[in-house]
Amino acid sequence: MRVTICFGGSILVPGTPDLACIRDIVKTVRELRSQNHEVLIVVGGGELARSYISAAQELGIPGIDQDQIGIAATRLNAQLLIAALGEIAEPAPVTVFEKAVRAIFRNKVPVMGGTTPGQTTDAVAAMLAQVSKSEILVFFTNVDGVYTADPKVDPKAKKLDRLTPDELAKLVGSAEYKPGMKSVMDPVAVKLIQRSNIKTLILGRHEITRLPEILNGAKHTGTVIARVSKW
Ligand code: UTP
């Protein structure tokens, strides 16, 4: 199976880089490849991006330049993961979708960070999944699924096991994009998922090493976004 996986910056670099998380990712990617899955990876910027973006904001730097700074942070995280993955990874962060697909044909794991201002790496992952014709798109985040409201703010928020792309779009609403924004998923990514109808999983950090069995049908505690009810 071809799978695009997005590791949110908030789990990869919650403050400083989370070494246990990086080791779990390396182990999981090796395991997936040994089961003949093709893996494409996107990583977020985490605290590194956020601290640099807020410094830029305080300096009065325009939004588009804040985004470029955020993109640079995601690529530094990508470079760290590439180094940890070693010879199985494409040696530098991939910045063009077609090159990521070509890496797969050379049996390498492409790792992307951000690409374009005005979005987050959620959108990069949704686009990469579409361009590479991945069967599944998986997001690992610091919130272990989609909730009816922000669980950190609303104690009554409930986790949803499954929802359609249209329901996800309703939930995310018309959240306005801002550099460094925090929301369940960036609105650009939601639109891409709605349009492509790709099967999407949102999972918590604790499920990383379980991904091989989850792809083989094992239960998980995250949220499935799909149109068909049997999946
Ligand atoms: P992230 O993808 O890390 O944002 O991009 P995020 O959703 O906050 O992810 P987590 O919480 O770290 O997992 C960080 C910032 O980099 C810029 C944006 O400013 C974004 O907020 N960025 C990223 C872009 O402008 N374009 C991209 O393609 C990616």
Side-chain angles (χ1 to χ4, degrees):
M1 179 183 292
R2 185 172 295 172
V3 53
T4 294
I5 312 172
C6 184
F7 295 102
S10 49
I11 60 163
L12 205 62
V13 187
T16 54
D18 183 335
L19 303 186
C21 180
I22 294 170
R23 288 192 181 105
D24 280 353
I25 294 172
V26 172
K27 184 174 165 224
T28 303
V29 172
R30 287 189 183 278
E31 177 66 25
L32 288 171
R33 278 168 56 95
S34 76
Q35 295 183 11
N36 292 323
H37 295 297
E38 292 173 316
V39 182
L40 301 100
I41 295 178
V42 178
V43 299
E47 200 44 46
L48 181 70
R50 243 178 271 288
S51 64
Y52 270 76
I53 288 171
S54 49
Q57 275 162 356
E58 287 195 27
L59 289 168
I61 290 169
I64 186 144
D65 297 322
Q66 292 177 29
D67 280 342
Q68 297 288 13
I69 288 165
I71 291 170
T74 63
R75 290 187 182 159
L76 183 60
N77 290 342
Q79 190 71 67
L80 180 63
L81 184 59
I82 286 167
L85 285 166
E87 78 290 351
I88 63 171
E90 190 68 6
V94 179
T95 56
V96 177
F97 293 107
E98 289 72 17
K99 286 193 178 163
V101 179
R102 264 183 255 147
I104 282 290
F105 295 142
R106 280 184 278 105
N107 197 28
K108 292 283 183 191
V109 177
V111 183
M112 297 187 74
T115 55
T116 318
Q119 59 177 36
T120 74
T121 48
D122 294 348
V124 177
M127 182 68 89
L128 181 61
Q130 211 167 320
V131 173
S132 65
K133 298 191 170 62
S134 291
E135 281 162 71
I136 294 188
L137 167 60
V138 185
F139 288 95
F140 284 102
T141 72
N142 64 346
V143 184
D144 57 348
V146 179
Y147 284 74
T148 50
D150 184 346
K152 286 181 189 132
V153 179
D154 183 351
K156 286 199 196 121
K158 277 208 182 92
K159 184 155 61 180
L160 302 162
D161 293 340
R162 139 181 312 274
L163 67 170
T164 65
D166 294 342
E167 287 166 342
L168 176 69
K170 259 194 214 131
L171 207 71
V172 172
S174 52
E176 203 194 322
Y177 171 83
K178 285 196 189 84
M181 74 186 288
K182 275 192 184 195
S183 78
V184 58
M185 193 181 284
D186 125 32
V188 184
V190 175
K191 281 221 170 65
L192 288 167
I193 289 170
Q194 261 185 305
R195 198 177 64 179
S196 74
N197 194 20
I198 187 158
K199 294 165 187 170
T200 304
L201 274 180
I202 301 182
L203 299 173
R205 186 250 174 271
H206 63 285
E207 304 267 39
I208 292 177
T209 52
R210 290 196 61 240
L211 186 59
E213 51 178 309
I214 291 171
L215 293 186
N216 287 329
K219 282 209 163 77
H220 59 79
T221 57
T223 300
V224 176
I225 298 158
R227 273 194 222 290
V228 284
S229 58
K230 63 180 162 57
W231 192 76

